[in-house]
Amino acid sequence: MTTSLGPQISALLLTNKSLVPTPTWLTSFLSTQRPATPLTALYQTALFRLLASDITTSLSPLPPNTFPPDIHNIDLQSRHLQSPIVVQVLDIEDMSKSRWEQIEAIEALERGEGTKGREIVRVVAAVEGSDDLVAAGRAGGPHKLLLQDARGVRVYGIELKEVEGVGLVMSIGCKLVLRGVSVARGVVLLEPRTATLLGGKIDALHEGWREGRKTSLKAAIEASERERV
């Protein structure tokens, strides 16, 4: 009986979040659900699982909703991509912070801490609704993101203006929807009106990124220090 709800769930995901799951993913998902589960509950569960999934295997790589084949063409000075494109974040860098400051920020988040001015605060409180602490988690910027679409194409994105939810407090694997976004010489330009954070997290990618990021930052610092000797 849940199988007959597939088109309705797909329609809700597309209308509300611009997500288009593959038929294979949707069939597999529905096979794990109880037949009497209400449509609203099925939709919420499907959304949660999609946001925690790798979109290169869970979302349909439809041409209008993925980066164009020539996205990396640096000869194209500027263009706009009108169709909504769902991407997942594979890397994030705070361009306003030094390497040591970025390491300290990652370690603070590992301890569940952020900063509010000079005061150390618990980032977990942000989940309880404190806007101040949410802002503290994204302090800094602009940020540089490595984005990946459903086809697996990777493109860098740069914050032109502060985008709500973007910051080192983000989880790797979280999803964004790009609508009418501008691309300049192969780089996606992120603004509040064209980039919306959906959330989500890919646990394996996040843990690997956190350790790998700290290692690469420390290696870069050591290499810089050797050059000065």
Side-chain angles (χ1 to χ4, degrees):
M1 183 169 70
T2 54
T3 303
S4 64
L5 296 174
Q8 298 178 64
I9 296 172
S10 292
L12 287 171
L13 290 168
L14 175 60
T15 301
N16 297 332
K17 303 295 181 180
S18 300
L19 296 169
V20 184
T22 65
T24 300
W25 186 93
L26 191 57
T27 299
S28 177
F29 164 73
L30 289 172
S31 70
T32 65
Q33 304 302 301
R34 295 179 179 179
T37 305
L39 176 61
T40 301
L42 286 173
Y43 163 71
Q44 292 295 341
T45 303
L47 175 60
F48 175 82
R49 294 193 182 179
L50 278 175
L51 294 181
S53 73
D54 181 346
I55 64 172
T56 63
T57 60
S58 61
L59 295 189
S60 297
L62 304 175
N65 304 114
T66 55
F67 292 124
D70 61 347
I71 186 66
H72 299 111
N73 187 349
I74 61 174
D75 293 327
L76 292 176
Q77 185 173 352
S78 179
R79 59 174 160 174
H80 297 277
L81 307 179
Q82 297 300 332
S83 297
I85 300 174
V86 176
V87 295
Q88 58 192 11
V89 178
L90 300 183
D91 190 20
I92 180 168
E93 178 181 355
D94 187 338
M95 300 170 66
S96 71
K97 287 181 168 60
S98 68
R99 294 187 178 109
W100 271 121
E101 287 174 327
Q102 292 183 63
I103 291 172
E104 290 171 349
I106 292 172
E107 292 178 341
L109 291 173
E110 289 174 349
R111 296 190 299 270
E113 297 173 352
T115 58
K116 182 182 177 184
R118 295 185 179 181
E119 178 186 1
I120 296 176
V121 294
R122 300 294 295 177
V123 174
V124 69
V127 180
E128 299 170 1
S130 171
D131 293 336
D132 289 340
L133 300 189
V134 171
R138 75 133 281 142
H143 296 89
K144 178 180 179 182
L145 310 180
L146 179 58
L147 308 172
Q148 184 181 47
D149 70 4
R151 287 195 301 121
V153 176
R154 300 181 177 189
V155 182
Y156 279 107
I158 300 289
E159 257 187 324
L160 283 188
K161 297 179 181 178
E162 181 179 321
V163 177
E164 183 178 358
V166 171
L168 291 180
V169 75
M170 293 171 66
S171 297
I172 298 303
C174 70
K175 279 65 174 177
L176 293 92
V177 179
L178 310 177
R179 292 186 180 87
V181 72
S182 296
V183 180
R185 301 192 185 280
V187 176
V188 176
L189 306 180
L190 304 173
E191 302 180 65
R193 63 183 180 84
T194 60
T196 303
L197 186 70
L198 296 180
K201 176 183 181 181
I202 302 177
D203 288 325
L205 289 182
H206 184 76
E207 294 304 317
W209 172 85
R210 187 175 61 184
E211 292 304 318
R213 184 62 178 159
K214 286 168 60 178
T215 299
S216 63
L217 287 169
K218 290 177 180 178
I221 290 171
E222 293 171 358
S224 179
E225 290 175 345
R226 285 196 298 270
E227 291 176 359
R228 292 199 297 266
V229 174

